Amino acid sequence: MARLIFTQQLARFTAVPQVDTTAATLRGGLDTAFAANPLLRGYVLDDQGHLRENVVVFIDGRRSEERTRLDDPLTPDSTVYILQALSGG
């Protein structure tokens, strides 16, 4: 199963599950994670269901560039990191 890992920056706001999923796409995998913690959705997706500007996703070491459809394919061995960028100075 593909594994989704949310970085600890999000842990300040809500529980960040590590999720194993059989989903075939990034969106399906995210939906699995949001089912486990619905509050997580608002930190990752905007009100149109697109990745927020301050969120970056890496699938098997490659940055996902598709921020709207989130249709990047997942394989059973995929590792997905969802990171929230930090700002400030």
Coordinates of all heavy atoms in Angstrom, one line a residue:
M1 N 0.8 -1.2 0.0 CA 0.0 0.0 0.0 C 0.9 1.2 0.0 O 1.9 1.3 0.6 CB -0.9 0.0 1.2 CG -2.1 -0.9 1.2 SD -3.3 -0.5 2.4 CE -3.1 -1.8 3.5
A2 N 0.4 2.3 -0.7 CA 1.1 3.6 -0.7 C 1.0 4.2 0.8 O 0.0 4.0 1.5 CB 0.5 4.5 -1.7
R3 N 2.1 4.9 1.2 CA 2.1 5.5 2.5 C 2.2 7.0 2.3 O 3.0 7.5 1.6 CB 3.3 5.0 3.3 CG 3.4 5.7 4.6 CD 4.2 5.0 5.6 NE 3.4 3.8 6.0 CZ 3.9 2.9 6.8 NH1 5.1 3.0 7.3 NH2 3.1 1.9 7.2
L4 N 1.2 7.7 3.0 CA 1.2 9.2 3.1 C 1.8 9.6 4.4 O 1.3 9.1 5.5 CB -0.2 9.7 2.9 CG -0.7 9.8 1.4 CD1 -1.0 8.5 0.9 CD2 -1.9 10.7 1.4
I5 N 2.7 10.5 4.4 CA 3.4 11.0 5.6 C 3.2 12.5 5.6 O 3.7 13.2 4.7 CB 4.8 10.6 5.7 CG1 4.9 9.0 5.6 CG2 5.5 11.1 6.9 CD1 6.3 8.5 5.3
F6 N 2.6 13.0 6.7 CA 2.4 14.4 6.9 C 3.5 14.9 7.8 O 3.7 14.3 8.9 CB 1.0 14.7 7.4 CG -0.1 14.4 6.5 CD1 -0.6 13.1 6.4 CD2 -0.6 15.4 5.7 CE1 -1.6 12.8 5.5 CE2 -1.6 15.1 4.8 CZ -2.1 13.8 4.7
T7 N 4.2 16.0 7.5 CA 5.3 16.5 8.3 C 4.7 17.1 9.6 O 3.6 17.5 9.7 CB 6.2 17.5 7.6 OG1 5.4 18.5 7.2 CG2 6.9 16.8 6.4
Q8 N 5.6 17.2 10.6 CA 5.2 17.6 11.9 C 4.8 19.0 12.0 O 4.3 19.4 13.0 CB 6.3 17.2 12.9 CG 6.5 15.7 13.2 CD 5.2 15.1 13.7 OE1 4.6 15.6 14.7 NE2 4.7 14.1 13.0
Q9 N 5.1 19.9 11.0 CA 4.7 21.3 11.1 C 3.2 21.3 11.3 O 2.7 22.2 12.0 CB 5.1 22.1 9.8 CG 6.5 22.3 9.7 CD 7.2 21.3 8.8 OE1 6.7 20.1 8.7 NE2 8.3 21.6 8.2
L10 N 2.4 20.4 10.7 CA 1.0 20.4 10.8 C 0.5 20.0 12.2 O -0.6 20.2 12.6 CB 0.4 19.5 9.7 CG 0.4 20.0 8.3 CD1 0.0 18.9 7.3 CD2 -0.5 21.2 8.1
A11 N 1.4 19.3 12.9 CA 1.0 18.7 14.2 C 0.7 19.8 15.2 O 0.0 19.6 16.2 CB 2.1 17.8 14.8
R12 N 1.1 21.1 15.0 CA 0.8 22.2 15.9 C -0.7 22.5 15.8 O -1.2 23.1 16.7 CB 1.6 23.4 15.5 CG 3.1 23.3 15.7 CD 3.8 24.6 15.4 NE 3.4 25.0 14.0 CZ 3.6 26.2 13.6 NH1 4.0 27.2 14.3 NH2 3.3 26.5 12.3
F13 N -1.4 22.1 14.7 CA -2.7 22.5 14.5 C -3.7 21.3 14.6 O -4.9 21.5 15.0 CB -2.9 23.1 13.1 CG -1.9 24.2 12.9 CD1 -0.9 24.0 12.0 CD2 -2.0 25.4 13.5 CE1 0.0 25.0 11.8 CE2 -1.1 26.4 13.3 CZ -0.1 26.3 12.4
T14 N -3.3 20.1 14.3 CA -4.2 19.0 14.3 C -3.4 17.7 14.2 O -2.2 17.7 14.0 CB -5.2 19.0 13.0 OG1 -6.1 18.0 13.2 CG2 -4.4 18.9 11.7
A15 N -4.0 16.6 14.5 CA -3.3 15.3 14.4 C -2.9 15.0 13.0 O -3.6 15.3 12.0 CB -4.2 14.2 14.9
V16 N -1.7 14.5 12.8 CA -1.1 14.2 11.5 C -0.9 12.7 11.4 O 0.1 12.2 11.7 CB 0.1 15.0 11.2 CG1 -0.2 16.5 11.0 CG2 1.1 14.9 12.4
P17 N -1.9 12.0 10.8 CA -1.8 10.6 10.7 C -0.8 10.2 9.6 O -0.5 10.9 8.6 CB -3.2 10.2 10.2 CG -3.7 11.3 9.5 CD -3.1 12.6 10.2
Q18 N -0.2 9.0 9.8 CA 0.5 8.4 8.7 C -0.5 7.4 8.2 O -1.0 6.6 8.9 CB 1.8 7.6 9.3 CG 2.9 7.7 8.4 CD 4.1 7.0 9.0 OE1 4.3 5.8 8.8 NE2 5.0 7.8 9.7
V19 N -0.7 7.5 6.9 CA -1.8 6.7 6.3 C -1.3 5.8 5.2 O -0.6 6.2 4.3 CB -2.8 7.7 5.7 CG1 -3.9 7.0 4.9 CG2 -3.4 8.7 6.7
D20 N -1.8 4.6 5.3 CA -1.5 3.6 4.2 C -2.8 3.5 3.4 O -3.9 3.5 4.0 CB -1.2 2.2 4.8 CG 0.1 2.2 5.5 OD1 1.0 2.9 5.0 OD2 0.3 1.4 6.5
T21 N -2.7 3.5 2.1 CA -3.9 3.5 1.2 C -3.7 2.7 0.0 O -2.5 2.5 -0.5 CB -4.2 5.0 0.8 OG1 -5.3 5.0 0.0 CG2 -3.0 5.6 0.1
T22 N -4.8 2.2 -0.5 CA -4.8 1.5 -1.8 C -5.1 2.4 -2.9 O -5.3 1.9 -4.1 CB -5.7 0.3 -1.7 OG1 -7.0 0.8 -1.5 CG2 -5.3 -0.7 -0.7
A23 N -5.3 3.7 -2.7 CA -5.7 4.6 -3.7 C -4.7 4.6 -4.9 O -3.5 4.5 -4.7 CB -5.8 6.0 -3.1
A24 N -5.2 4.9 -6.1 CA -4.4 4.9 -7.3 C -3.9 6.3 -7.6 O -3.0 6.4 -8.5 CB -5.2 4.3 -8.4
T25 N -4.4 7.3 -7.0 CA -4.0 8.7 -7.3 C -3.7 9.4 -6.0 O -4.2 9.0 -4.9 CB -5.1 9.5 -8.0 OG1 -6.2 9.6 -7.2 CG2 -5.4 8.8 -9.4
L26 N -3.0 10.6 -6.1 CA -2.8 11.4 -4.9 C -4.1 11.9 -4.3 O -4.2 11.8 -3.1 CB -1.9 12.6 -5.3 CG -1.7 13.6 -4.3 CD1 -1.0 13.0 -3.1 CD2 -0.9 14.8 -4.8
R27 N -5.1 12.3 -5.1 CA -6.3 12.8 -4.5 C -7.0 11.7 -3.7 O -7.5 11.9 -2.6 CB -7.3 13.3 -5.6 CG -8.6 13.8 -4.9 CD -9.4 14.6 -5.8 NE -8.9 15.8 -6.3 CZ -8.8 17.0 -5.7 NH1 -9.3 17.1 -4.5 NH2 -8.3 18.1 -6.3
G28 N -7.0 10.4 -4.2 CA -7.6 9.3 -3.5 C -6.9 9.1 -2.2 O -7.5 8.8 -1.2
G29 N -5.5 9.2 -2.2 CA -4.8 9.0 -1.0 C -5.1 10.1 0.0 O -5.2 9.8 1.2
L30 N -5.1 11.3 -0.4 CA -5.5 12.4 0.5 C -6.9 12.2 1.0 O -7.1 12.5 2.2 CB -5.4 13.7 -0.3 CG -4.0 14.2 -0.6 CD1 -4.0 15.4 -1.5 CD2 -3.1 14.5 0.7
D31 N -7.8 11.8 0.2 CA -9.2 11.5 0.7 C -9.2 10.5 1.8 O -9.9 10.6 2.8 CB -10.1 11.1 -0.4 CG -10.5 12.3 -1.3 OD1 -10.3 13.4 -0.9 OD2 -11.0 12.0 -2.4
T32 N -8.3 9.5 1.7 CA -8.2 8.5 2.8 C -7.7 9.1 4.1 O -8.2 8.9 5.2 CB -7.2 7.4 2.4 OG1 -7.7 6.8 1.2 CG2 -7.1 6.3 3.4
A33 N -6.7 10.0 4.0 CA -6.2 10.7 5.1 C -7.2 11.6 5.7 O -7.4 11.7 7.0 CB -4.9 11.5 4.8
F34 N -8.0 12.3 4.9 CA -9.0 13.2 5.4 C -10.1 12.5 6.1 O -10.8 13.0 7.0 CB -9.6 14.1 4.3 CG -8.5 15.0 3.6 CD1 -8.6 15.3 2.3 CD2 -7.3 15.4 4.3 CE1 -7.7 16.1 1.6 CE2 -6.4 16.1 3.6 CZ -6.6 16.5 2.3
A35 N -10.4 11.3 5.7 CA -11.4 10.5 6.3 C -11.0 10.1 7.8 O -11.8 10.1 8.7 CB -11.7 9.2 5.5
A36 N -9.6 10.0 7.9 CA -9.1 9.7 9.3 C -9.1 10.9 10.1 O -9.2 10.8 11.4 CB -7.7 9.1 9.1
N37 N -8.9 12.1 9.5 CA -8.9 13.4 10.3 C -9.4 14.5 9.3 O -8.7 15.1 8.6 CB -7.5 13.7 10.7 CG -7.5 15.0 11.5 OD1 -8.5 15.7 11.6 ND2 -6.3 15.4 12.0
P38 N -10.7 14.7 9.4 CA -11.3 15.7 8.5 C -10.8 17.1 8.7 O -10.7 17.9 7.7 CB -12.8 15.7 8.9 CG -13.0 14.3 9.5 CD -11.7 14.0 10.2
L39 N -10.2 17.5 9.8 CA -9.7 18.8 10.0 C -8.4 19.0 9.2 O -8.1 20.2 8.8 CB -9.3 19.1 11.5 CG -10.5 19.2 12.5 CD1 -10.0 19.3 13.9 CD2 -11.4 20.4 12.1
L40 N -7.8 18.0 8.8 CA -6.5 18.1 8.0 C -6.8 18.6 6.7 O -5.9 19.4 6.1 CB -5.9 16.7 7.9 CG -4.5 16.5 7.4 CD1 -3.5 17.3 8.2 CD2 -4.2 15.0 7.4
R41 N -8.0 18.4 6.1 CA -8.3 18.9 4.8 C -8.1 20.4 4.6 O -7.5 20.9 3.7 CB -9.8 18.6 4.4 CG -10.2 19.1 3.1 CD -11.7 18.8 2.8 NE -11.9 17.4 2.7 CZ -11.8 16.7 1.6 NH1 -11.4 17.2 0.5 NH2 -12.1 15.4 1.6
G42 N -8.5 21.2 5.6 CA -8.4 22.6 5.5 C -7.0 23.1 5.6 O -6.7 24.2 5.1
Y43 N -6.1 22.4 6.1 CA -4.7 22.8 6.1 C -3.9 22.4 4.9 O -2.9 22.9 4.6 CB -4.0 22.1 7.3 CG -4.4 22.7 8.6 CD1 -5.3 22.1 9.4 CD2 -4.0 24.0 9.0 CE1 -5.8 22.6 10.6 CE2 -4.4 24.6 10.2 CZ -5.3 23.9 11.0 OH -5.8 24.4 12.2
V44 N -4.5 21.4 4.1 CA -3.8 20.9 2.9 C -4.4 21.5 1.6 O -3.7 21.9 0.7 CB -3.8 19.4 2.9 CG1 -3.2 18.8 1.6 CG2 -3.1 18.8 4.1
L45 N -5.8 21.5 1.6 CA -6.5 22.0 0.4 C -7.2 23.3 0.7 O -7.6 23.6 1.8 CB -7.6 20.9 0.0 CG -7.1 19.5 -0.3 CD1 -8.2 18.6 -0.7 CD2 -6.0 19.5 -1.3
D46 N -7.4 24.1 -0.4 CA -8.1 25.3 -0.3 C -9.6 25.1 -0.5 O -10.0 23.9 -0.6 CB -7.6 26.4 -1.3 CG -7.8 26.0 -2.8 OD1 -8.6 25.1 -3.1 OD2 -7.1 26.6 -3.6
D47 N -10.4 26.1 -0.5 CA -11.9 25.9 -0.6 C -12.3 25.4 -2.0 O -13.5 25.0 -2.1 CB -12.6 27.2 -0.3 CG -12.2 28.4 -1.2 OD1 -11.2 28.3 -1.9 OD2 -13.0 29.4 -1.2
Q48 N -11.4 25.3 -2.9 CA -11.8 24.7 -4.2 C -11.2 23.3 -4.4 O -11.4 22.7 -5.5 CB -11.3 25.6 -5.4 CG -11.9 27.0 -5.4 CD -11.3 27.9 -6.5 OE1 -10.5 27.5 -7.2 NE2 -11.9 29.1 -6.6
G49 N -10.6 22.8 -3.3 CA -10.1 21.4 -3.4 C -8.7 21.3 -4.0 O -8.3 20.2 -4.4
H50 N -8.0 22.4 -4.2 CA -6.7 22.4 -4.8 C -5.7 22.5 -3.6 O -6.0 23.0 -2.6 CB -6.5 23.6 -5.7 CG -7.5 23.7 -6.8 ND1 -7.8 24.9 -7.4 CD2 -8.4 22.8 -7.3 CE1 -8.8 24.7 -8.3 NE2 -9.2 23.4 -8.2
L51 N -4.5 22.1 -3.9 CA -3.4 22.2 -2.9 C -3.2 23.7 -2.5 O -3.2 24.6 -3.4 CB -2.1 21.7 -3.4 CG -1.8 20.2 -3.3 CD1 -0.4 19.9 -3.8 CD2 -1.9 19.7 -1.9
R52 N -3.1 24.0 -1.3 CA -2.8 25.3 -0.8 C -1.4 25.7 -1.3 O -0.6 24.9 -1.6 CB -2.8 25.4 0.7 CG -4.2 25.3 1.2 CD -4.3 25.7 2.7 NE -5.6 25.7 3.2 CZ -6.5 26.7 3.0 NH1 -6.1 27.8 2.4 NH2 -7.7 26.7 3.5
E53 N -1.2 27.0 -1.5 CA 0.0 27.5 -2.0 C 1.2 27.1 -1.1 O 2.3 27.0 -1.6 CB 0.0 29.1 -2.2 CG -0.9 29.5 -3.3 CD -0.4 29.0 -4.7 OE1 0.8 29.1 -4.9 OE2 -1.2 28.6 -5.5
N54 N 1.0 27.0 0.2 CA 2.1 26.7 1.1 C 2.3 25.2 1.3 O 3.0 24.9 2.2 CB 1.9 27.5 2.4 CG 0.7 27.0 3.1 OD1 -0.3 26.5 2.5 ND2 0.7 27.0 4.5
V55 N 1.7 24.4 0.5 CA 1.8 22.9 0.7 C 2.5 22.4 -0.6 O 2.2 22.7 -1.7 CB 0.4 22.3 0.8 CG1 0.5 20.8 0.8 CG2 -0.3 22.8 2.1
V56 N 3.5 21.5 -0.3 CA 4.2 20.8 -1.3 C 4.1 19.3 -1.1 O 4.1 18.8 0.1 CB 5.7 21.2 -1.3 CG1 6.5 20.5 -2.3 CG2 5.9 22.7 -1.4
V57 N 4.0 18.6 -2.2 CA 3.9 17.1 -2.1 C 5.0 16.5 -2.9 O 5.3 16.9 -4.0 CB 2.5 16.6 -2.7 CG1 2.4 15.1 -2.7 CG2 1.4 17.2 -1.9
F58 N 5.7 15.5 -2.3 CA 6.7 14.7 -3.0 C 6.2 13.3 -3.0 O 5.8 12.7 -2.0 CB 8.0 14.8 -2.2 CG 8.7 16.1 -2.4 CD1 8.5 17.1 -1.5 CD2 9.6 16.3 -3.4 CE1 9.1 18.3 -1.6 CE2 10.2 17.5 -3.6 CZ 10.0 18.5 -2.7
I59 N 6.2 12.7 -4.2 CA 5.8 11.3 -4.4 C 7.1 10.5 -4.9 O 7.6 10.9 -6.0 CB 4.7 11.2 -5.4 CG1 3.5 12.0 -5.0 CG2 4.3 9.7 -5.7 CD1 2.4 12.1 -6.0
D60 N 7.5 9.6 -4.1 CA 8.7 8.8 -4.5 C 9.9 9.7 -4.8 O 10.6 9.5 -5.8 CB 8.4 7.8 -5.6 CG 7.3 6.8 -5.2 OD1 7.2 6.5 -4.0 OD2 6.5 6.5 -6.1
G61 N 10.0 10.8 -4.0 CA 11.2 11.7 -4.2 C 11.1 12.7 -5.2 O 12.0 13.5 -5.4
R62 N 9.9 12.7 -6.0 CA 9.7 13.8 -7.0 C 8.6 14.7 -6.6 O 7.6 14.3 -6.1 CB 9.4 13.1 -8.3 CG 10.5 12.3 -9.0 CD 10.0 11.7 -10.2 NE 8.7 11.3 -10.0 CZ 8.1 10.2 -10.6 NH1 8.8 9.5 -11.5 NH2 6.9 9.9 -10.3
R63 N 8.9 16.0 -6.8 CA 7.8 17.0 -6.5 C 6.7 16.9 -7.4 O 6.8 16.9 -8.6 CB 8.4 18.4 -6.5 CG 7.5 19.4 -6.1 CD 8.1 20.8 -6.0 NE 7.2 21.8 -5.7 CZ 7.5 23.0 -5.4 NH1 8.7 23.4 -5.4 NH2 6.5 23.9 -5.0
S64 N 5.5 16.9 -6.8 CA 4.2 16.9 -7.7 C 4.0 18.3 -8.1 O 4.0 19.3 -7.3 CB 3.1 16.4 -6.8 OG 1.9 16.7 -7.5
E65 N 3.8 18.5 -9.4 CA 3.6 19.8 -10.0 C 2.1 20.0 -10.2 O 1.6 21.1 -10.5 CB 4.3 20.0 -11.3 CG 5.8 19.9 -11.1 CD 6.4 21.0 -10.3 OE1 5.8 22.1 -10.2 OE2 7.5 20.8 -9.6
E66 N 1.3 19.0 -10.2 CA -0.2 19.1 -10.4 C -0.9 19.4 -9.1 O -1.0 18.6 -8.3 CB -0.7 17.7 -11.0 CG -1.9 17.7 -11.9 CD -2.9 18.8 -11.5 OE1 -3.7 18.5 -10.6 OE2 -3.0 19.8 -12.2
R67 N -1.3 20.7 -9.0 CA -1.9 21.2 -7.8 C -3.4 21.3 -7.8 O -4.1 21.6 -6.8 CB -1.3 22.6 -7.5 CG 0.2 22.5 -7.4 CD 0.8 23.9 -7.1 NE 0.3 24.3 -5.8 CZ 0.9 23.9 -4.6 NH1 1.9 23.0 -4.6 NH2 0.5 24.3 -3.5
T68 N -4.1 21.0 -9.0 CA -5.5 21.1 -9.1 C -6.2 19.8 -9.1 O -7.0 19.5 -8.3 CB -5.8 21.9 -10.4 OG1 -5.2 23.2 -10.3 CG2 -7.3 22.2 -10.5
R69 N -5.9 19.0 -10.1 CA -6.5 17.7 -10.2 C -6.0 16.7 -9.2 O -6.7 15.8 -8.8 CB -6.3 17.1 -11.6 CG -7.0 17.9 -12.7 CD -6.9 17.2 -14.1 NE -5.6 16.8 -14.4 CZ -4.6 17.6 -15.0 NH1 -5.0 18.9 -15.3 NH2 -3.4 17.2 -15.2
L70 N -4.7 16.8 -8.8 CA -4.1 15.9 -7.9 C -4.2 14.5 -8.3 O -4.5 13.5 -7.6 CB -4.7 16.1 -6.5 CG -4.7 17.5 -5.9 CD1 -5.4 17.5 -4.6 CD2 -3.2 18.0 -5.7
D71 N -4.0 14.3 -9.6 CA -4.2 13.0 -10.2 C -2.8 12.2 -10.5 O -2.8 11.3 -11.2 CB -4.9 13.1 -11.5 CG -4.3 14.0 -12.6 OD1 -3.2 14.6 -12.3 OD2 -4.8 14.1 -13.7
D72 N -1.8 12.7 -9.8 CA -0.5 11.9 -9.8 C -0.8 10.5 -9.5 O -1.4 10.2 -8.5 CB 0.5 12.5 -8.9 CG 0.9 13.9 -9.2 OD1 1.6 14.1 -10.2 OD2 0.4 14.8 -8.5
P73 N -0.2 9.5 -10.2 CA -0.4 8.1 -9.9 C 0.4 7.7 -8.7 O 1.5 8.2 -8.4 CB 0.0 7.4 -11.1 CG 1.0 8.3 -11.8 CD 0.6 9.7 -11.4
L74 N -0.2 6.8 -7.9 CA 0.4 6.1 -6.8 C 0.5 4.7 -7.1 O -0.3 4.1 -7.7 CB -0.4 6.3 -5.5 CG -0.7 7.7 -5.0 CD1 -1.5 7.7 -3.7 CD2 0.6 8.5 -4.8
T75 N 1.6 4.1 -6.7 CA 1.8 2.6 -6.8 C 1.7 2.0 -5.4 O 1.8 2.8 -4.4 CB 3.2 2.3 -7.4 OG1 4.2 2.7 -6.5 CG2 3.4 3.0 -8.7
P76 N 1.6 0.7 -5.3 CA 1.5 0.1 -4.0 C 2.8 0.4 -3.1 O 2.7 0.3 -1.9 CB 1.4 -1.4 -4.3 CG 0.7 -1.4 -5.6 CD 1.3 -0.2 -6.3
D77 N 3.9 0.7 -3.8 CA 5.1 1.0 -3.0 C 5.4 2.5 -2.9 O 6.5 2.8 -2.4 CB 6.3 0.3 -3.8 CG 6.2 -1.2 -3.8 OD1 5.7 -1.8 -2.8 OD2 6.6 -1.8 -4.8
S78 N 4.5 3.3 -3.3 CA 4.8 4.8 -3.2 C 4.9 5.3 -1.8 O 4.2 4.8 -0.9 CB 3.7 5.6 -3.9 OG 3.8 5.4 -5.3
T79 N 5.8 6.3 -1.6 CA 5.9 7.0 -0.3 C 5.6 8.5 -0.7 O 6.2 9.0 -1.6 CB 7.2 6.9 0.3 OG1 7.5 5.5 0.6 CG2 7.3 7.7 1.6
V80 N 4.6 9.1 0.0 CA 4.2 10.4 -0.3 C 4.4 11.3 0.9 O 3.9 11.0 2.0 CB 2.7 10.4 -0.7 CG1 2.2 11.9 -1.0 CG2 2.4 9.5 -1.8
Y81 N 5.1 12.4 0.7 CA 5.4 13.3 1.8 C 4.6 14.6 1.5 O 4.7 15.1 0.4 CB 6.8 13.7 1.9 CG 7.7 12.6 2.5 CD1 8.3 11.7 1.7 CD2 7.8 12.4 3.9 CE1 9.1 10.7 2.2 CE2 8.5 11.4 4.5 CZ 9.2 10.5 3.6 OH 9.9 9.5 4.2
I82 N 3.8 15.0 2.5 CA 3.0 16.3 2.4 C 3.6 17.2 3.4 O 3.6 17.0 4.6 CB 1.5 16.0 2.7 CG1 0.9 15.0 1.7 CG2 0.7 17.3 2.6 CD1 0.9 13.6 2.2
L83 N 4.2 18.3 2.8 CA 4.9 19.3 3.6 C 4.2 20.7 3.6 O 3.7 21.1 2.5 CB 6.3 19.5 3.1 CG 7.2 18.2 3.1 CD1 7.2 17.7 1.7 CD2 8.5 18.5 3.6
Q84 N 4.1 21.3 4.7 CA 3.6 22.7 4.8 C 4.8 23.6 4.9 O 5.7 23.4 5.8 CB 2.7 22.8 6.0 CG 2.0 24.2 6.0 CD 1.0 24.3 7.1 OE1 1.3 23.8 8.2 NE2 -0.1 24.9 6.9
A85 N 5.0 24.5 3.9 CA 6.1 25.4 4.0 C 6.1 26.3 5.2 O 5.0 26.7 5.6 CB 6.2 26.2 2.7
L86 N 7.2 26.7 5.7 CA 7.3 27.6 6.8 C 7.6 29.0 6.3 O 8.4 29.1 5.3 CB 8.4 27.1 7.8 CG 8.1 25.8 8.4 CD1 9.3 25.4 9.3 CD2 6.9 25.7 9.2
S87 N 7.1 30.0 6.9 CA 7.4 31.3 6.5 C 7.9 32.1 7.7 O 7.6 31.7 8.9 CB 6.2 32.0 5.8 OG 5.2 32.1 6.7
G88 N 8.4 33.3 7.5 CA 8.8 34.1 8.6 C 10.3 34.4 8.4 O 11.0 34.0 7.5
G89 N 10.8 35.1 9.4 CA 12.2 35.4 9.3 C 12.9 35.6 10.6 O 12.5 35.4 11.7

